[in-house]
């Protein structure tokens, strides 16, 4: 074939050597001349295979503590020359530059070094210069050169050179060029984001090298993709492939349950990104039972999440419910077998993993980026606004309700009692409508709201909400405060014996 190229020579210089041996042996078997440097050169020699040091080609040693090894015209000329260009061919002969048909180079582990908490000096030393330059050069000249830039591709490369007897096609080389530019662009993005961690430069660079095609997007007529390392956050034990909507719900569930880390057994049931049931109890079984009681209708087809291990007794109860996903830090073996009783039910073991510090979403012809809402209302933030003070039990319920409110779509009102979600009004255009929705829903599931508490994601511009809440039996309120008419709500509470506290922090969620 006209576009086929026989590999006669190769430059190999890698940080990660796992899986490299079989490729080197195959190249040697095919009679390929191999050039290398440093640790890779030693690795190849230890395999008993002849290798030519790059220094013998450049007549220049590795200098500056290894910072400069391959940055030389005789190396880059061998990669970038155009084999169908008479001038290039003549200059190759004039300067005695060896042709390089295959370049296997990877990059220093910059991201892993940053993640390890290493010193800035160690991080800077892991910014690859020679490697990134070699990758870009070889990928640019894909017409004549095959560039391999990741150990993840070693298996595919070995298959190509084995089946082709050392010959590659233009299509193969172009595909590997794309893979190489994917590697190099991701690497540069990681470096930029490290230097711009405080966002002094208003520039957005996002790079995810792991992607998955989903069955479809939010609806069957929409294409859908997930980009990210799902396996770093979860071990999937059972069930069908997660859908676009499943992933959104799982994200909402994880963010919500993070508020209850290291607390008493807490169980939540979510539907369309909002909690329809949540309870905290002495046992995970009772937490599940009481979470389900919050809205057993909406729980159908929901996402379930626990902050503690799910046992067999809890699994027996869960198994009675049709649910899409069950998430926990662990499951007992017996629990797993019970929950596997539904073949499509997805079981996820959640690992300890930090979520991104910022949130990005598309907007108009661009994107919006903001810090994650990492503020959780606490006793230290509370400022009593009324003459009546919440009791200790009410205060616990207020903070409990506030955590749920933070993760519920605005406008929202959350009603809670005894560490149990009674009901919430979600995504309403009016805060009054959200409250009325919550009251009606709570009553429909036979909740006694006498002594319940109310949380609001934003302030009350009028006293109507506290008045409606009071008449429903609610005795204590938590809200950000900050309205120029706060005093109207305060006055109503004082006149009617309600306690109300301000947090000073709004928790809109759109």
């Amino acid at each position: 074939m006209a576009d086929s190229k026989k590999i006669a020579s190769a430059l190999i210089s890698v940080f990660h050597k796992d899986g490299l041996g079989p490729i080197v042996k195959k190249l040697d078997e095919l009679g390929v001349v191999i050039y290398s440097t440093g640790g890779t050169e030693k690795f190849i020699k230890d395999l008993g295979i002849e290798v030519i040091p790059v220094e013998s080609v450049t007549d220049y040693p590795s200098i500056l503590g290894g910072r400069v090894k391959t940055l030389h015209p005789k190396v880059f000329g061998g990669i970038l020359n155009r084999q169908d260009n008479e001038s290039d061919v003549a200059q190759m002969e004039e300067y005695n530059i060896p042709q390089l048909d295959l370049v296997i180079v990877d990059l220093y582990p910059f991201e892993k070094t940053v993640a390890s908490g290493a010193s800035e000096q160690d991080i800077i030393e892991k910014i690859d210069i020679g490697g990134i330059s070699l990758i870009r050069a070889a990928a640019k000249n894909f017409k004549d050169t095959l560039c391999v830039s990741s150990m993840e591709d070693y298996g595919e490369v070995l298959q190509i050179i084995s089946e082709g007897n050392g010959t590659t096609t233009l299509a193969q080389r172009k595909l590997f060029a794309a893979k190489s530019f994917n590697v190099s662009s991701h690497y540069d993005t990681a470096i930029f984001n490290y230097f711009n961690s405080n966002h002094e430069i208003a520039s957005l660079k996002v790079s995810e090298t792991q992607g998955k095609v989903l069955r479809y997007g939010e609806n069957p007529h929409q294409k859908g993709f997930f980009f990210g390392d799902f396996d770093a956050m979860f071990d999937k034990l059972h069930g069908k492939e997660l859908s676009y909507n499943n992933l959104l719900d799982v994200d909402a569930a994880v963010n919500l349950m993070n508020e209850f880390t290291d607390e008493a057994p807490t169980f939540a049931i979510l539907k369309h990104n909002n909690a329809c049931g949540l309870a905290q109890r002495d046992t995970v079984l009772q937490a599940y039972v009481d979470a389900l009681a919050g809205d057993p209708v909406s729980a159908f087809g929901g996402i379930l999440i626990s902050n503690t291990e799910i046992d067999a007794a809890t699994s027996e109860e869960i198994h009675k419910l049709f649910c899409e996903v069950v998430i926990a830090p662990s499951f007992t073996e017996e629990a797993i077998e019970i929950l596997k009783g539904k073949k499509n039910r997805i079981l996820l073991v959640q690992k300890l993993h930090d979520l991104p510090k910022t949130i990005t979403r598309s907007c108009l012809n661009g994107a919006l980026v903001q810090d994650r809402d990492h503020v959780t209302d606490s006793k230290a933030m509370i400022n009593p606004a009324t003459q009546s003070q919440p009791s200790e039990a009410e205060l616990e319920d207020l903070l409990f309700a506030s955590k749920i409110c933070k993760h519920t779509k605005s406008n929202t009102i959350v009603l809670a009692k005894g560490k149990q979600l009674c009901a919430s009004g979600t995504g309403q255009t009016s805060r009054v409508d959200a409250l009325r929705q919550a009251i009606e829903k709570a009553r429909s599931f036979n909740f006694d709201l006498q002594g319940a508490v109310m949380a609001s994601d934003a302030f009350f511009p009028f006293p109507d909400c506290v008045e409606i809440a009071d008449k429903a039996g609610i005795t204590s309120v938590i809200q950000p405060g900050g309205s120029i008419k706060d005093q109207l709500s305060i006055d109503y509470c004082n006149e009617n014996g309600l306690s109300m506290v301000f947090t000073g922090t709004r928790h809109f969620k759109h």
Side-chain angles (χ1 to χ4, degrees):
M1 295 174 63
D3 64 2
S4 294
K5 293 286 183 179
K6 181 79 172 181
I7 297 173
S9 59
L11 171 63
I12 306 176
S13 180
V14 297
F15 186 88
H16 302 98
K17 300 170 182 65
D18 295 343
L20 181 64
I23 295 177
V24 174
K25 291 176 182 178
K26 174 55 70 173
L27 292 173
D28 182 58
E29 179 186 317
L30 294 169
V32 174
V33 177
I34 300 175
Y35 300 87
S36 191
T37 64
T40 309
E41 178 188 342
K42 181 179 184 303
F43 173 82
I44 296 171
K45 284 180 178 179
D46 289 345
L47 292 174
I49 293 172
E50 185 176 350
V51 56
I52 300 174
V54 167
E55 291 91 333
S56 68
V57 176
T58 62
D59 293 324
Y60 222 93
S62 172
I63 62 172
L64 306 181
R67 281 190 166 196
V68 180
K69 292 183 286 190
T70 56
L71 295 168
H72 194 281
K74 281 198 171 183
V75 174
F76 282 86
I79 295 171
L80 285 165
N81 75 91
R82 295 156 292 186
Q83 294 180 24
D84 60 355
N85 183 292
E86 292 183 4
S87 176
D88 284 8
V89 172
Q91 286 187 325
M92 292 283 286
E93 293 179 359
E94 179 183 356
Y95 295 107
N96 192 29
I97 299 174
Q99 177 66 43
L100 295 172
D101 306 305
L102 168 65
V103 173
I104 302 178
V105 177
D106 63 6
L107 301 171
Y108 292 154
F110 178 82
E111 289 179 281
K112 287 185 178 179
T113 305
V114 172
S116 73
S119 67
E120 181 172 85
Q121 184 56 43
D122 287 341
I123 290 170
I124 298 304
E125 289 305 316
K126 287 299 185 290
I127 298 177
D128 208 310
I129 303 300
I132 201 84
S133 302
L134 291 168
I135 288 172
R136 290 178 62 85
K140 174 180 179 177
N141 201 32
F142 67 88
K143 187 175 179 182
D144 295 312
T145 307
L146 175 65
C147 182
V148 182
S149 56
S150 171
M151 62 184 294
E152 303 297 327
D153 295 322
Y154 286 174
E156 186 177 354
V157 171
L158 180 60
Q159 182 179 355
I160 288 172
I161 62 176
S162 297
E163 293 178 354
N165 198 31
T167 298
T168 63
T169 66
L170 179 62
Q172 289 168 339
R173 296 192 297 277
K174 192 170 184 178
L175 173 61
F176 272 81
K179 290 184 177 186
S180 297
F181 284 121
N182 184 32
V183 168
S184 66
S185 63
H186 178 78
Y187 196 76
D188 284 338
T189 295
I191 294 170
F192 169 78
N193 286 336
Y194 169 75
F195 279 96
N196 195 44
S197 59
N198 293 325
H199 307 290
E200 290 95 342
I201 302 172
S203 178
L204 174 64
K205 298 190 187 301
V206 179
S207 178
E208 289 289 352
T209 57
Q210 300 190 57
K212 183 177 180 60
V213 179
L214 304 175
R215 294 197 306 274
Y216 51 80
E218 201 162 7
N219 299 292
H221 62 276
Q222 297 170 271
K223 291 182 180 179
F225 306 86
F226 173 72
F227 295 98
D229 189 359
F230 186 83
D231 293 339
M233 287 197 66
F234 301 99
D235 285 328
K236 184 183 173 190
L237 304 181
H238 180 71
K240 64 182 180 180
E241 291 297 313
L242 281 95
S243 69
Y244 182 98
N245 292 328
N246 287 156
L247 289 165
L248 285 176
D249 282 331
V250 168
D251 177 71
V254 167
N255 278 283
L256 172 59
M257 195 52 70
N258 279 350
E259 302 287 347
F260 300 95
T261 302
D262 297 327
E263 293 191 14
T266 307
F267 210 106
I269 303 172
L270 289 89
K271 196 73 172 288
H272 296 296
N273 307 161
N274 294 305
C276 59
L278 195 151
Q280 187 173 88
R281 294 292 183 262
D282 292 333
T283 68
V284 66
L285 172 59
Q286 196 58 52
Y288 168 71
V289 170
D290 289 350
L292 180 63
D295 187 347
V297 176
S298 296
F300 182 85
I303 306 294
L304 280 57
I305 186 167
S306 170
N307 72 343
T308 191
E309 182 174 77
I310 293 179
D311 56 23
T314 307
S315 293
E316 291 282 9
E317 290 300 314
I318 292 172
H319 192 56
K320 299 173 184 177
L321 174 73
F322 169 71
C323 56
E324 291 273 340
V325 184
V326 184
I327 310 165
S330 61
F331 298 80
T332 66
E333 288 299 322
E334 191 176 354
I336 293 171
E337 292 308 310
I338 293 168
L339 294 172
K340 280 183 176 180
K342 298 288 179 65
K343 69 175 183 179
N344 288 330
R345 180 185 285 144
I346 299 165
L347 304 182
L348 300 176
V349 173
Q350 185 180 351
K351 304 175 186 177
L352 292 175
H353 192 278
D354 291 334
L355 293 170
K357 295 180 180 179
T358 56
I359 298 172
T360 304
R361 63 192 296 181
S362 62
C363 180
L364 300 175
N365 62 345
L368 285 171
V369 181
Q370 67 171 347
D371 292 337
R372 187 176 294 276
D373 184 356
H374 53 76
V375 175
T376 297
D377 295 339
S378 64
K379 290 182 180 180
M381 298 169 59
I382 285 177
N383 178 29
T386 55
Q387 296 167 0
S388 176
Q389 304 290 305
S391 67
E392 189 62 30
E394 285 176 326
L395 185 57
E396 291 294 325
D397 276 348
L398 288 171
L399 294 175
F400 174 85
S402 175
K403 290 177 180 179
I404 303 170
C405 195
K406 172 183 170 182
H407 295 277
T408 305
K409 191 170 181 64
S410 299
N411 286 315
T412 185
I413 292 289
V414 169
L415 306 180
K417 183 178 179 180
K419 298 288 186 71
Q420 180 182 22
L421 172 62
C422 299
S424 58
T426 63
Q428 299 301 302
T429 53
S430 159
R431 199 160 303 283
V432 171
D433 287 345
L435 174 55
R436 286 176 172 154
Q437 181 190 59
I439 292 171
E440 180 181 352
K441 189 172 184 180
R443 286 173 174 167
S444 73
F445 293 114
N446 300 313
F447 279 99
D448 178 8
L449 293 179
Q450 191 63 45
V453 304
M454 174 174 73
S456 174
D457 58 341
F459 62 61
F460 300 125
F462 303 103
D464 44 9
C465 281
V466 290
E467 180 178 354
I468 294 169
D470 173 39
K471 291 177 179 178
I474 289 154
T475 55
S476 193
V477 179
I478 186 170
Q479 57 133 319
S483 169
I484 59 173
K485 296 184 178 181
D486 274 345
Q487 194 61 45
L488 296 177
S489 294
I490 294 170
D491 289 344
Y492 181 90
C493 290
N494 285 337
E495 291 165 7
N496 293 275
L498 276 73
S499 61
M500 183 166 63
V501 298
F502 290 167
T503 65
T505 302
R506 190 182 71 187
H507 292 292
F508 271 165
K509 185 173 185 288
H510 293 109

